[in-house]
């Protein structure tokens, strides 16, 4: 059995009772960064074996992990924050488990884009999750593909690229498009800034952002 276990994106109180139990019962915990996960495990008094599993070694490790799961071990997969597989390592091991008939259970839990979407005040009955845009090659091509998108769009971004990204959004989607920038979700300094893309661009030019960023952009009106 492979358990995919969400971990808090900010406040440790967002950890579920079930997630703590699964991590305590697992034979091995696969962690994106053992140092980051080690802090979380120590807080909840979880002392199980921990092994690195991240984007730089997952192709090399996946076969070994699958063989151990087929031999009867139970493993739990965690990322640094949120739900593994959502803009984090996880898809590859889940896919290989499914291909090999290994049961996979993903626990419900923390992920950054859902609270950002709901708190934005933008339509949320239909939306598309875009995650991180390509940093260089293919970035503007991806944005051009979204120019006519009518669903609310969700993006992850680094605080260091936010102003550049908002400027590109103004160029592609128009300065009057409604949007929201949510940062530090579930942390002490959580903040949602709402307005037009032009207003958000001006705001963050004057106020350098910090922390993890989720941008929510209204879709094109029909």
């Amino acid at each position: 059995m492979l358990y995919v276990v969400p971990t808090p994106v900010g406040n440790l109180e967002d950890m579920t009772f079930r997630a703590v139990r699964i991590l305590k019962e697992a034979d091995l915990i696969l962690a994106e960064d053992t140092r980051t996960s080690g802090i979380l495990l120590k807080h909840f008094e979880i002392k199980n074996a921990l092994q690195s599993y991240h984007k730089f070694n997952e192709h090399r490790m996946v076969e070994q992990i699958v063989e151990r799961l087929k031999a009867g071990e139970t493993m739990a997969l965690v990322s640094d924050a949120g739900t593994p597989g959502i803009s984090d390592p996880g898809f590859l091991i889940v896919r290989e488990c499914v291909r090999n008939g290994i049961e996979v259970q993903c626990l419900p839990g923390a992920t950054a884009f859902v609270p950002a979407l709901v708190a934005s005040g933008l339509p949320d009955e239909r939306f598309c999750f875009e995650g991180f845009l390509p940093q260089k090659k293919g970035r503007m091509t991806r944005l051009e593909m979204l120019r006519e998108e009518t669903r609310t769009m969700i993006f992850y971004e680094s605080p260091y690229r936010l102003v550049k990204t908002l400027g590109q959004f103004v160029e592609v989607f128009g300065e009057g498009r409604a949007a929201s920038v949510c940062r530090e979700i579930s942390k002490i300094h959580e903040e949602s800034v709402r307005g037009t893309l032009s207003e958000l661009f001006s705001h963050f030019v004057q106020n350098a952002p910090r922390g993890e960023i989720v941008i929510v952009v209204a879709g094109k009106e029909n």
Side-chain angles (χ1 to χ4, degrees):
M1 170 82 77
L2 175 70
Y3 288 100
V4 181
V5 181
T7 54
V9 296
N11 195 320
L12 290 179
E13 292 180 1
D14 294 337
M15 191 74 166
T16 68
F17 292 116
R18 185 183 177 205
V20 172
R21 178 179 62 81
I22 293 298
L23 292 178
K24 287 183 175 180
E25 293 177 355
D27 296 309
L28 179 65
I29 299 171
L30 302 171
E32 183 179 3
D33 187 323
T34 55
R35 294 165 298 181
T36 301
S37 296
I39 296 170
L40 178 76
L41 299 183
K42 183 177 180 181
H43 178 82
F44 290 103
E45 300 181 348
I46 300 168
K47 301 177 182 179
N48 288 21
L50 197 61
Q51 183 171 326
S52 293
Y53 179 82
H54 46 72
K55 65 180 180 180
F56 301 110
N57 71 359
E58 59 179 342
H59 287 274
R60 173 167 48 85
M61 290 186 59
V62 67
E63 183 177 347
Q64 169 195 342
I65 291 170
V66 166
E67 289 304 313
R68 291 178 63 174
L69 286 163
K70 289 168 71 173
E73 291 191 44
T74 295
M75 296 186 187
L77 174 67
V78 298
S79 60
D80 289 350
T83 301
I86 305 296
S87 295
D88 279 321
F91 165 72
L92 184 61
I93 183 63
V94 169
R95 182 185 67 183
E96 292 307 305
C97 284
V98 171
R99 286 178 173 176
N100 284 272
I102 298 166
E103 186 172 356
V104 177
Q105 286 191 14
C106 181
L107 278 61
T111 188
F113 78 82
V114 173
L117 171 63
V118 174
S120 72
L122 297 172
D124 57 10
E125 70 276 8
R126 297 175 65 245
F127 61 89
C128 62
F129 175 73
E130 290 295 319
F132 287 100
L133 290 165
Q135 290 189 27
K136 295 180 180 178
K137 185 178 180 181
R139 185 180 181 88
M140 293 306 295
T141 301
R142 176 81 63 83
L143 288 177
E144 287 294 337
M145 291 173 61
L146 295 169
R147 184 187 289 272
E148 303 299 318
E149 177 59 64
T150 58
R151 295 171 294 177
T152 298
M153 297 170 282
I154 304 166
F155 304 88
Y156 285 168
E157 191 51 280
S158 157
Y160 308 107
R161 290 192 299 270
L162 177 62
V163 170
K164 174 185 175 182
T165 298
L166 290 173
Q168 292 172 331
F169 285 2
V170 168
E171 179 184 341
V172 175
F173 302 133
E175 63 182 19
R177 186 78 67 92
S180 170
V181 172
C182 190
R183 66 180 193 87
E184 295 289 79
I185 292 171
S186 192
K187 297 179 182 177
I188 295 174
H189 301 293
E190 179 174 347
E191 176 186 44
S192 290
V193 183
R194 306 170 183 86
T196 65
L197 284 173
S198 179
E199 290 168 341
L200 292 176
F201 176 78
S202 297
H203 174 84
F204 286 106
V205 166
Q206 299 173 33
N207 302 274
R210 295 181 180 180
E212 300 299 317
I213 304 287
V214 183
I215 311 171
V216 184
V217 181
K220 183 179 181 180
E221 294 185 2
N222 291 319

